[in-house]
């Protein structure tokens, strides 16, 4: 039996009087690139937050990498990388320090961390600015750094919540 990367069955999420997600079901195969599209307020970010185990669904089942998000949250978090809608970087650290911090949180050995960091910073066009404090970065540069941090540990599944917001056309192409 083939395990889906993501399986959502009849998920509902209510916040007091508001139904943010109403009966969502979907299946994403391993290796598949899947985009969740909809207008503002449609429940996309709420769905991503459920998939990442940040909030629990009111009802329904959510499986990521074959693991139940509610029952095996720690295992799910080992498998995923997340680039949230709001840029999550430390402004007083340099780009390298931000990436290294996340690589160390994932217990990457020094050689692997250095290799992956340098490769990702290059791909994101940040090598030249990597030793500058992030507070000096443009909004697009911060988004690319946030994406680098989400990918540093080579996750099996990556959740990108509006990853190109605030990026110029060249940066969007890179991503």
């Amino acid at each position: 039996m083939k395990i889906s990367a993501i399986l959502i069955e009849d998920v509902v999420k209510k916040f007091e009087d508001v139904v943010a997600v109403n009966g969502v079901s979907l299946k994403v195969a391993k290796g598949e690139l899947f985009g969740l599209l909809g207008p503002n307020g449609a429940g996309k970010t709420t769905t991503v937050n459920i998939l990442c185990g940040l909030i629990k669904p009111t009802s329904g089942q959510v499986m990521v990498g074959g693991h139940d998000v509610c029952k095996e949250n720690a295992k799910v978090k080992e498998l995923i990388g997340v680039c949230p809608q709001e840029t999550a970087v430390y402004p007083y650290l340099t780009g390298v320090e931000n990436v290294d911090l996340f690589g160390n949180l994932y217990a990457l050995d020094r050689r692997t961390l250095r290799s992956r960091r340098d490769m990702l910073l290059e791909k994101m066009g940040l090598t030249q600015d990597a030793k500058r404090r992030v507070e000096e970065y443009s909004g697009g540069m911060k988004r690319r750094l946030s994406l680098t941090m989400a990918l540093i540990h080579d996750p099996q599944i990556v959740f990108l919540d509006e990853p190109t917001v605030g990026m110029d056309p060249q940066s969007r192409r890179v991503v």
Side-chain angles (χ1 to χ4, degrees):
M1 178 170 137
K2 194 171 185 179
I3 297 173
S4 298
I6 298 170
L7 178 63
I8 301 177
E9 294 179 334
D10 202 26
V11 167
V12 173
K13 179 60 184 177
K14 294 178 184 174
F15 296 99
E16 296 181 20
D17 311 358
V18 177
V19 177
V21 177
N22 192 9
V24 171
S25 295
L26 61 90
K27 187 177 189 178
V28 180
K30 285 185 179 182
E32 185 175 6
L33 180 63
F34 181 84
L36 189 56
L37 303 175
N40 290 341
K44 301 177 302 292
T45 296
T46 300
T47 301
V48 170
N49 287 339
I50 291 169
L51 287 164
C52 296
L54 298 174
I55 58 175
K56 291 186 179 199
T58 305
S59 64
Q61 184 177 24
V62 182
M63 305 287 287
V64 174
H67 300 280
D68 186 305
V69 172
C70 293
K71 296 176 183 170
E72 302 173 274
N73 199 333
K75 185 63 181 168
V76 168
K77 288 180 179 179
E78 289 176 17
L79 302 176
I80 67 173
V82 182
C83 183
Q85 186 173 16
E86 296 297 323
T87 303
V89 294
Y90 291 94
Y92 296 106
L93 297 179
T94 66
V96 167
E97 290 168 339
N98 269 277
V99 176
D100 286 354
L101 173 64
F102 274 72
N104 287 320
L105 289 173
Y106 286 105
L108 295 179
D109 65 78
R110 188 176 298 199
R111 175 188 264 157
T112 301
L113 175 55
R114 188 177 308 124
S115 172
R116 286 203 47 80
R117 178 196 68 210
D118 293 349
M119 179 270 298
L120 288 166
L121 289 171
E122 167 108 18
K123 283 187 184 251
M124 293 295 158
L126 293 171
T127 302
Q128 213 171 346
D129 298 292
K131 294 189 178 172
R132 284 181 37 215
R133 285 179 144 196
V134 172
E135 66 187 350
E136 300 171 11
Y137 283 20
S138 69
M141 291 169 74
K142 289 176 185 174
R143 290 300 294 160
R144 287 183 277 147
L145 181 63
S146 187
L147 182 55
T148 299
M149 292 158 53
L151 298 173
I152 191 63
H153 63 294
D154 197 20
Q156 290 181 28
I157 299 167
V158 182
F159 296 108
L160 309 175
D161 195 353
E162 303 206 27
T164 61
V165 167
M167 284 189 188
D168 58 75
Q170 295 86 350
S171 296
R172 286 180 184 210
R173 245 182 264 119
V174 166
V175 172

